Amino acid sequence: MGPVLDVVLSAGFLAAILRVSTPYVLAALGGLLAERAGVPNIALEGSMLAAACTGALVAGYSGSVAAGAVCGIAAGALLTLLLGVLHLYLGADAIIAGIGLNLLASGVTAYAVYALLGDKGGTSRLHSGALPEVRLPLIEDIPGLGTVVSGQNLMTWIALAAAPAVAWLLHRTRFGFHLRAVGEFPDAARSVGIPVRRVQFATLALSGALAGAAGVFLSMGAVSFFVTGMTAGRGYIALAAVFLGALRPWGVFLAALGFGAAEALAVQLGNLSIPSQLVSAIPYALTLLALAFFAWRRRRPARPTSPVSGVAADPATN
């Protein structure tokens, strides 16, 4: 256990958690917004994949990392808006439509890379560039703290800022009030003049943009090229974080950090003499355990309340 503890307690491991958690945080917050608006965004995986591919290709051909990032985020938003059209206008089941869009994104991105570059694996031969790292001159000289926070990718800082921003949007703005009303009581919201579909489409666009930012980080932050299927189920894990976090911004943020920590631990343990199959299974095993815990909490019977005071009664006295 000595080498494992040395890895877990190191400042480098904490920095890796922030870096690896970035796509989970962004995608999970996007999924939270869509879920609170009453449209489950199962297409998080597809939005991330479309954004990662689009960003790398546009950056490579245009020579502009900023243009690649903007186009990648737009691609993620457009895919999620397509989910809205299929579900809200055409009446398709949101879950089935989302899975279909994920499969569509997987096929289209692989075909686009092969058609443009003649490579089935990715865009490694195309020089796409990477998003900048943020250096903190005064903090990076502090032992430990400087290693953790200084030098993180720009998208990591955006992910850290996204959690309080989403919390503020949901609970401190008029749009957030409309969004929650539409998700919980759409008929009541419609009766008081709230444009239900307009709010849902605006929320889906924002949800897709956040998932798109997660995808852009994968191909232009973590590395500087796109690899076919590089999301590797992260969109589904982010969706699990939405429910594990009880549909609350800070809960979702912490759940996403937990999944990121599991993946960072798997990467670090891969350098030790531990079977690679066991290491690779850690993030997915944690996802299954987390969902099982969530289901157990949901099904656990509530404590009876007193008919007089409304306070939960002590089972021992019944």
Side-chain angles (χ1 to χ4, degrees), residues 21 30-31 36 43 51-52 55 74 82 101-102 142 170 188 192 204 212 223 225 235 241 253-254 281 285 303:
S21 298
R36 293 298 296 266
L82 181 56
L101 289 175
N102 290 337
I142 301 176
L170 283 176
V192 296
L204 284 174
V223 294
F225 53 87
F253 175 75
L254 292 176
R303 294 176 60 185

Side-chain angles (χ1 to χ4, degrees), residues 10 21 41 88 111-112 123 136 244 250 263 312:
S10 66
S21 298
N41 187 2
L88 298 176
Y111 175 76
T123 66
L136 305 175
L244 185 62
W250 288 110
E263 183 177 336

